[in-house]
Amino acid sequence: MKGFLLDTHVLLWWLAEPERISPNAYEVIADPENALHVSAASIWEASIKATLGRLDLPATLPDDMKQQGMEELAITSSHALAIQRLPCCTRTPLIGC
């Protein structure tokens, strides 16, 4: 079994507009042998966009994810501190590069 972390867009597209997902990604997500994970950060990001009026986020999102066999991954303080060890891959102030 392989595990895959779905980003925010892929999660939302899979649940509401699966036709927007590439054929390769669709095949991976649809395969019941693959473990699907969603970061709590993706839910946070989607909630912020919904608050700003940029996204219509269903209140049923947690149940929808469970029905699709997706597991939510929590973000811990250890995860947040581990960002310091990642190679610089972006120029955003969040990463500090």
Side-chain angles (χ1 to χ4, degrees):
M1 177 183 289
K2 293 183 180 180
F4 295 90
L5 177 63
L6 305 182
D7 75 3
T8 307
H9 286 97
V10 172
L11 167 66
L12 297 174
W13 290 341
W14 180 257
L15 296 175
E17 301 176 88
E19 66 278 1
R20 295 186 69 177
I21 298 175
S22 73
N24 288 342
Y26 190 97
E27 186 176 317
V28 167
I29 296 168
D31 186 343
E33 294 295 316
N34 292 329
L36 304 175
H37 306 282
V38 177
S39 171
S42 289
I43 309 308
W44 188 341
E45 177 187 4
S47 294
I48 291 169
K49 289 182 179 189
T51 300
L52 296 172
R54 297 182 187 162
L55 178 65
D56 183 22
L57 192 61
T60 59
L61 183 61
D63 291 331
D64 297 342
M65 289 170 37
K66 287 178 188 174
Q67 288 176 351
Q68 294 292 317
M70 297 174 185
E71 180 181 338
E72 182 180 339
L73 299 178
I75 299 172
T76 67
S77 56
S78 295
H79 295 134
L81 288 171
I83 290 172
Q84 297 176 73
R85 295 190 305 270
L86 294 176
C88 181
C89 60
T90 182
R91 299 246 181 245
T92 64
L94 178 63
I95 302 299
C97 299

